[in-house]
């Protein structure tokens, strides 16, 4: 009897090697598409007389990294600190505040509508005010990044916490369970798919937040560097800054995906 059950289970569950093979093929396809676009780009620029200040070749963009006066490493690290710092702050405060909202209806009634109204303010318009209040620098740009990332995480986390069946929470209370135990063992596991959904959206916005701050007023960072090279029409360097910003955003998004893969069952992940 046991052997027949194991045989049936083996037939239902896919072999790990087949799953790894499918995942590998998917990533190879993604990489091939990106490489193909770069090769096509290089061919178009080489064949047709496109001015380099309008559309530089990928090789020229890569060559701009050799210019030491642009301080690529330092500026990239500054922007990375603003992106990851503001993002981490938004995740922590978003989840904590959502938990408080799930515990207190009065707090939700008083504060949540205010947060919705504040989120309607264009962040580009809010940037100059933040700089007037807090001067400019890495900490200010982290705050601007936080303002863009915070609300999506808060909104999805609130929804996830509210999706928990009330009967289960009543059962925990009847067993003398604390609010923290209900959150840790019931609400948090059930709301993880929603939390990671908001974190993915916020990961995309984090890069925009850091660049907005650097565009408005900054002395370092990739956004600041783009403003500087714009005056000299060094388009390859501008493209290189965009590429590095994109890579930072991809790195943050992949980190979120890995965390979701580790903590959320496959069937529960939100597409």
């Amino acid at each position: 009897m046991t052997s027949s059950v194991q045989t049936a289970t083996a037939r239902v569950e896919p072999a790990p090697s087949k799953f790894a093979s499918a995942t590998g093929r998917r990533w190879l396809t993604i990489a091939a598409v990106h490489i193909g676009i770069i090769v096509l780009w290089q061919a178009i620029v080489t064949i047709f007389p496109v001015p380099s200040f309008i559309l530089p070749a990928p090789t020229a963009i890569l060559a701009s990294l050799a210019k030491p006066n642009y301080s690529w490493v330092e500026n990239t690290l500054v922007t990375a600190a603003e992106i990851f710092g503001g993002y981490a702050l938004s995740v922590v405060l978003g989840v904590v505040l959502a938990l408080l909202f799930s515990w207190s209806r009065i707090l939700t009634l008083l504060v949540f509508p205010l947060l919705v109204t504040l989120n309607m303010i264009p962040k580009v318009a809010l940037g100059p005010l933040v700089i007037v209040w807090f001067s400019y620098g890495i900490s200010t740009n982290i705050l601007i990044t936080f303002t863009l990332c915070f609300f999506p995480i808060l909104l999805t986390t609130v929804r996830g916490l509210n999706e928990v069946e009330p009967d289960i929470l009543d059962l925990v209370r009847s067993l003398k369970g604390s609010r923290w135990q209900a959150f840790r063992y019931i609400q948090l596991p059930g709301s993880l798919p929603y939390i990671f959904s908001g974190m993915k959206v916020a990961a995309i916005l984090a890069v925009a937040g850091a660049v907005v701050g650097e565009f408005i007023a900054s002395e370092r960072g990739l956004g600041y560097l783009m403003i500087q090279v714009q005056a000299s029409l060094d388009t390859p360097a501008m493209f290189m800054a965009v590429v590095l910003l994109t890579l930072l955003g991809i790195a943050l998004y992949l980190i979120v995906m890995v965390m979701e893969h580790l903590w959320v069952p496959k069937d529960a992940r939100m597409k």
Side-chain angles (χ1 to χ4, degrees), residues 9-255:
T9 305
R11 291 177 180 174
V12 174
E13 296 181 355
S17 59
K18 293 183 179 180
F19 175 76
S21 178
T23 303
R25 286 195 301 269
R26 184 168 66 250
W27 283 106
L28 285 175
T29 303
I30 294 173
V33 170
H34 285 74
I35 294 173
I37 292 176
I38 295 174
V39 171
L40 179 62
W41 179 358
Q42 180 70 36
I44 292 174
V45 175
T46 303
I47 296 173
F48 298 99
V50 181
S52 61
F53 67 89
I54 295 179
L55 184 63
T59 52
I61 296 173
L62 191 61
S64 64
L65 285 175
K67 298 179 179 180
N69 56 314
Y70 290 159
S71 303
W72 289 108
V73 175
E74 178 185 354
N75 286 315
T76 302
L77 290 177
V78 169
T79 304
E82 295 166 356
I83 292 173
F84 286 88
Y87 182 81
L89 184 63
S90 66
V91 171
V92 173
L93 293 184
V95 173
V96 170
L97 191 56
L99 175 61
L100 295 178
F101 285 159
S102 70
W103 287 350
S104 174
R105 293 183 178 179
I106 296 178
L107 183 65
T108 303
L109 180 63
L110 294 177
V111 179
F112 190 78
L114 177 61
L115 292 176
V116 174
T117 302
L118 292 176
N119 188 65
M120 296 299 108
I121 300 175
K123 303 305 182 293
V124 177
L126 188 63
L129 289 175
V130 175
I131 292 173
V132 169
W133 295 333
F134 303 103
S135 185
Y136 60 89
I138 295 179
S139 58
T140 302
N141 292 338
I142 288 176
L143 182 60
I144 295 175
T145 304
F146 164 79
T147 60
L148 264 76
C149 299
F150 171 73
F151 194 74
I153 297 175
L154 173 67
L155 193 63
T156 54
T157 305
V158 167
R159 181 184 175 187
L161 293 175
N162 291 334
E163 288 291 326
V164 178
E165 291 291 338
D167 294 339
I168 299 178
L169 296 178
D170 292 338
L171 176 62
V172 174
R173 296 188 189 99
S174 65
L175 296 175
K176 307 301 181 181
S178 63
R179 284 183 172 180
W180 170 250
Q181 289 175 325
F183 169 72
R184 180 180 178 183
Y185 297 108
I186 305 298
Q187 289 181 295
L188 180 59
S191 61
L192 279 179
Y194 296 89
I195 294 175
F196 278 106
S197 178
M199 288 174 64
K200 289 178 181 178
V201 176
I204 300 172
L205 298 174
V207 178
V211 173
V212 166
E214 292 177 353
F215 276 177
I216 295 174
S218 182
E219 294 180 341
R220 295 177 294 173
L222 294 174
Y224 165 79
L225 182 61
M226 291 180 66
I227 297 296
Q228 299 302 309
V229 299
Q230 181 185 17
S232 59
L233 287 180
D234 192 348
T235 310
M238 295 179 64
F239 268 88
M240 193 67 246
V242 172
V243 170
L244 293 174
L245 286 169
T246 304
L247 292 177
L248 289 175
I250 291 174
L252 179 58
Y253 195 87
L254 288 178
I255 291 173

